[in-house]
Amino acid sequence: MARDSHATKARLLDAAFTEFATYGIAGARVDRIAEAAQANKRLIYVYYGNKEQLFDAVLQRALATGSESVPFDVDDLPGYAGAVFDHLVERPALMRLVLWKQLERPGSTDEESASYDGKIAAVRQAQEAGRIDPAVPAADVLTLVMGLAQAWFAAVGGPAAGAAGTGWAAERLAEHRAAVVESVRRITAPAAPAGGA
């Protein structure tokens, strides 16, 4: 029985991810989620409480999957930004889900805040050790790194869609990824020592 409930929960989360990424929280319908998951609608309330709590569970799972797939590496922020970009290229609906969250529920959950706080602390320590330029506050460094990795997906006018919505060719994706990595390298590289010969 436990195996069946685990499988049902997974199907509900998968279906809810698609529904929320497409329609947001307000536009999502539990009937559609249940139908897509081939589950009884009542189980959404049994397992998750309500639609908002289901959204929280979907978002938390997506963030946990992202953290596992793209571990944070304070000693290679350019590589980290490139890996975040790759993760989003492979999962375009993830950025839509995040954008809906920002529109409909601005602010951070305790889990999100704890994750960011740990990363900011790691950046600050790297700055104090001289591995990252300390000219920009640690929280802003992290914001810029994440912003650069995500900008392609959220830019007004949709450059990620390419010409006529066909998507970018692999060569263009690689070119933009390289630009992301190089930009992060430039903003985080330790400053050259003053003086010289």
Side-chain angles (χ1 to χ4, degrees), residues 1-192:
M1 192 67 147
R3 179 176 290 170
D4 289 342
S5 68
H6 180 73
T8 302
K9 286 179 181 180
R11 288 197 316 273
L12 284 168
L13 289 173
D14 289 342
F17 178 93
T18 301
E19 180 77 5
F20 287 127
T22 304
Y23 299 104
I25 302 168
R29 297 290 173 259
V30 292
D31 290 339
R32 287 193 299 247
I33 293 169
E35 183 179 345
Q38 299 179 340
N40 187 314
K41 179 173 79 170
R42 184 181 65 81
L43 292 176
I44 292 172
Y45 302 102
V46 169
Y47 294 143
Y48 300 104
N50 59 39
K51 185 169 70 167
E52 288 74 20
Q53 290 170 308
L54 176 60
F55 179 84
D56 290 341
V58 167
L59 184 63
Q60 187 57 41
R61 184 175 82 155
L63 294 174
T65 300
S67 293
E68 291 169 12
S69 300
V70 186
F72 183 71
D73 185 354
V74 73
D75 291 317
D76 184 13
L77 290 179
Y80 174 71
V84 169
F85 178 79
D86 294 339
H87 185 74
L88 293 173
V89 167
E90 292 171 9
R91 297 161 186 82
L94 177 57
M95 196 64 205
R96 289 195 306 274
L97 182 76
V98 170
L99 291 172
W100 277 116
K101 193 267 184 197
Q102 291 173 337
L103 286 170
E104 296 184 292
R105 281 176 132 182
S108 299
T109 64
D110 291 342
E111 293 85 5
E112 291 170 316
S113 294
S115 172
Y116 288 122
D117 290 346
K119 290 173 182 156
I120 290 167
V123 171
R124 189 175 297 114
Q125 289 173 351
Q127 287 176 317
E128 290 167 359
R131 299 191 316 269
I132 294 176
D133 188 337
V136 176
D140 294 334
V141 169
L142 182 61
T143 300
L144 289 168
V145 169
M146 296 306 296
L148 285 165
Q150 298 171 4
W152 181 80
F153 304 93
V156 175
T166 59
W168 280 359
E171 300 81 24
R172 183 63 184 102
L173 280 172
E175 184 178 65
H176 184 75
R177 184 191 193 280
V180 168
V181 170
E182 178 60 15
S183 297
V184 172
R185 186 195 66 74
R186 290 184 185 199
I187 65 171
T188 60

